[in-house]
Amino acid sequence: MADFFDQLNDILFLDIETASLTEKYEELPERIQEEWLKKERLIQGIENNLEPGALYFDRAGIHAEFGQVVCVGVGYFQWKKKDKKLAFRSKCYANEEERELLSEFKGLLEKKKWILCAHNGKEFDFPYLCRRMLIQGVALPEPLQISGKKPWEVRHLDTMELWKFGDYKHYTRLELLASVFGIPSSKDDLDGSQVNTTFHLEKDVEKIKKYCLRDVEVTARVYMAMHPQADDLEIEIIHLEDSKKDHKD
């Protein structure tokens, strides 16, 4: 049990929300427009009968070359041994300038030897962050540097991968795992398909941040549910607004 809490203290749970690089396809640089049309043809397949750029608003945000990170939610546990309680501290990084957002997030990753955990993080969150950092000229922090490392040297956890137990046939949504474990949903008034509209048309970044933080908490609770020896512990949720209050251990 002590070993579990020792490792738990080093895990940084995270979730990212992304949007298309621009509101409209026509606002992209000409070279990127051409590349998107090639991507779009691959997405449509044989039935290529849509207007050029028709899929951009709904689909571009999931591709790092045509999208952007609009916020990064993070959270970590702190074990209160005396009270036998867990505190889960979370906050969200958001900035109108993506480069500044990613630089701030990089600063957190460099504070300690984190183990990163996200749902489908190995397929989406981690590579997306790496690609956008490099595009924005931000050097990759050590936890995201995987080139040349052996598999056991990469400190990445993925709750979707953990749930597969070696079965690679299925994608399992975070919401499904939350449902089977009886964890409250993060999708009360927003889901991932609505982020682009909320960001570009409604200009409501605060709404996206709240949704992102809920996803981080759900991911952390799913991880705890996969370790029943600690699942019955009371968890105190603490949201950090001031970046100066980040983890300093």
Side-chain angles (χ1 to χ4, degrees):
M1 192 72 164
D3 291 341
F4 174 78
F5 286 114
D6 287 342
Q7 185 190 60
L8 188 64
N9 186 57
D10 293 332
I11 298 176
L12 184 70
F13 297 90
L14 66 88
D15 179 68
I16 65 173
E17 300 304 330
T18 65
S20 56
L21 196 58
T22 57
E23 179 182 335
K24 299 177 181 179
Y25 159 75
E26 293 79 10
E27 295 171 345
L28 288 171
E30 186 174 338
R31 289 179 65 188
I32 305 298
Q33 286 187 35
E34 294 173 3
E35 292 301 323
W36 172 254
L37 292 183
K38 295 175 183 177
K39 173 71 73 174
E40 200 169 61
R41 284 193 286 271
L42 292 175
I43 295 172
Q44 292 184 63
I46 297 175
E47 297 182 6
N48 187 7
N49 54 7
L50 296 176
E51 289 292 323
L55 298 180
Y56 176 74
F57 188 82
D58 291 329
R59 303 292 291 274
I62 65 173
H63 302 282
E65 300 83 0
F66 306 99
Q68 60 179 311
V69 179
V70 298
C71 70
V72 181
V74 298
Y76 60 87
F77 285 105
Q78 285 187 326
W79 170 236
K80 297 181 178 181
K81 187 175 181 179
K82 182 179 179 180
D83 301 324
K84 292 187 177 180
K85 291 182 180 179
L86 278 173
F88 186 71
R89 298 176 177 271
S90 65
K91 71 162 294 178
C92 201
Y93 291 85
N95 194 301
E96 291 183 1
E97 298 295 329
E98 186 190 30
R99 190 179 192 282
E100 294 302 314
L101 185 166
L102 296 174
S103 295
E104 290 177 20
F105 175 60
K106 176 188 174 184
L108 173 63
L109 294 190
E110 292 176 334
K111 287 187 175 182
K112 65 175 290 183
K113 201 171 182 179
W114 291 109
I115 299 168
L116 305 183
C117 182
H119 190 76
N120 198 31
K122 292 185 178 181
E123 289 290 328
F124 184 71
D125 302 73
F126 305 149
Y128 201 108
L129 284 166
C130 290
R131 291 164 184 159
R132 290 309 304 173
M133 281 183 172
L134 294 181
I135 289 172
Q136 290 289 5
V138 178
L140 297 182
E142 189 275 333
L144 288 176
Q145 294 177 11
I146 64 174
S147 179
K149 288 184 178 178
K150 298 178 176 62
W152 56 88
E153 294 174 332
V154 178
R155 301 189 309 280
H156 293 173
L157 294 174
D158 189 325
T159 46
M160 189 176 79
E161 182 180 79
L162 292 173
W163 185 247
K164 286 180 177 180
F165 293 98
D167 176 3
Y168 289 94
K169 295 190 297 293
H170 300 291
Y171 171 85
T172 306
R173 297 177 67 237
L174 179 63
E175 178 64 17
L176 174 56
L177 290 185
S179 298
V180 300
F181 284 123
I183 298 169
S185 173
S186 61
K187 309 186 188 307
D188 294 334
D189 56 357
L190 186 68
D191 64 42
S193 66
Q194 300 168 312
V195 169
N196 215 45
T197 296
T198 306
F199 180 74
H200 282 300
L201 303 184
E202 299 175 10
K203 313 294 184 184
D204 194 346
V205 176
E206 289 302 313
K207 186 176 182 180
I208 298 173
K209 288 169 61 178
K210 290 178 182 177
Y211 165 63
C212 186
L213 281 177
R214 289 198 298 270
D215 261 358
V216 173
E217 182 183 336
V218 170
T219 301
R221 289 187 180 275
V222 165
Y223 181 83
M224 294 297 289
M226 292 180 181
H227 299 81
Q229 72 270 30
D231 189 38
D232 59 347
L233 292 172
E234 181 181 344
I235 300 176
E236 178 186 7
I237 305 298
I238 302 171
H239 296 304
L240 303 176
E241 296 297 331
D242 186 352
S243 61
K244 294 180 181 179
K245 295 179 182 178
D246 287 338
H247 194 68
K248 298 179 181 179
D249 291 352

